Amino acid sequence: MLNVILAYLPYALVTTFTPGPNNIMCLYSVSSEGWTGGRKLISGIFTGCTLLLTLTILFCHQLNQYVPGLVNYLKYIGAAYIAWLAFRIAMSRPGTSQERAINFKSGFLLAITNIKMLLYFITIFTVYIIPYSSGLNNLFLHGLFILIISLSAWLTWGAAGSLLQKVIMQYYRPFNILMGIILLWCAVRIVIN
């Protein structure tokens, strides 16, 4: 099991810690609402990713048959949702109702429509894990390890938002526009890839 983990660990670390919709939203939510508000979003992302990961584990051997249609369908839904979030963030001001929409539900929806996460889970299981460790218990152990790595990334991005909160609040307009542009870039990359 350790050899399998060591094989996918670099891929997992790069994929989970680089900017993506979940990470950007963690940074933004903690910087705008502090850990109290950010915790709701991170909990939603964690729950959504846990559901997505569980479904991937349970159906991974069948996904090879169904992925093309599923990925294309979720790709556009996920990109549209991320573009909608980008617009809301770019237009929001500190303390507005737009920021209050960052909650468990929006984190959950972001996670389950995040094509990057779906492709990450499918890739990691079909390429790195299943060829060497196909028992259901082993798959769930790997899934738990993957969730721990992912949660570490979200908390790291949230901590960055917390540390930079005063600067971000002072320059909220350019920051929000930048975050919106990055999320929009994520949405565009989902559609064109």
Side-chain angles (χ1 to χ4, degrees):
M1 185 165 176
L2 182 60
N3 288 338
V4 174
I5 290 172
L6 291 175
Y8 70 73
L9 189 59
Y11 172 72
L13 291 173
V14 168
T15 302
T16 56
F17 279 90
T18 54
N22 293 344
N23 293 340
I24 298 299
M25 287 302 296
C26 289
L27 174 93
Y28 175 76
S29 67
V30 174
S31 71
S32 64
E33 297 189 17
W35 280 107
T36 304
R39 184 185 77 238
K40 295 173 189 171
L41 180 98
I42 293 170
S43 297
I45 290 172
F46 181 80
T47 303
C49 281
T50 301
L51 175 64
L52 192 62
L53 180 62
T54 301
L55 292 174
T56 302
I57 290 169
L58 292 174
F59 300 108
C60 210
H61 66 280
Q62 294 177 2
L63 286 176
N64 287 334
Q65 298 169 359
Y66 301 111
V67 165
L70 179 63
V71 168
N72 285 331
Y73 179 69
L74 288 177
K75 176 174 159 173
Y76 296 108
I77 291 173
Y81 182 68
I82 292 167
W84 176 77
L85 283 175
F87 176 75
R88 287 190 62 145
I89 287 172
M91 296 295 119
S92 70
R93 287 185 232 152
T96 64
S97 61
Q98 306 241 357
E99 287 178 2
R100 302 293 174 237
I102 296 175
N103 54 29
F104 179 89
K105 181 181 174 183
S106 63
F108 181 82
L109 289 172
L110 177 65
I112 64 170
T113 61
N114 186 341
I115 196 68
K116 178 185 173 187
M117 289 303 293
L118 177 62
L119 293 175
Y120 164 65
F121 292 153
I122 291 170
T123 301
I124 215 160
F125 279 95
T126 59
V127 173
Y128 294 102
I129 299 171
I130 289 179
Y132 308 103
S133 180
S134 61
L136 198 54
N137 288 338
N138 285 337
L139 295 180
F140 278 107
L141 284 174
H142 285 288
L144 179 62
F145 185 68
I146 291 165
L147 279 174
I148 290 169
I149 293 171
S150 299
L151 182 59
S152 299
W154 304 324
L155 292 174
T156 300
W157 279 81
S162 178
L163 292 171
L164 300 172
Q165 185 175 26
K166 288 182 182 177
V167 173
I168 290 169
M169 294 309 281
Q170 183 178 358
Y171 299 102
Y172 76 88
R173 176 56 65 202
F175 176 77
N176 288 358
I177 291 171
L178 178 63
M179 293 299 104
I181 289 169
I182 291 171
L183 278 177
L184 191 59
W185 174 74
C186 290
V188 169
R189 288 204 42 178
I190 287 169
V191 171
I192 62 174
N193 286 336

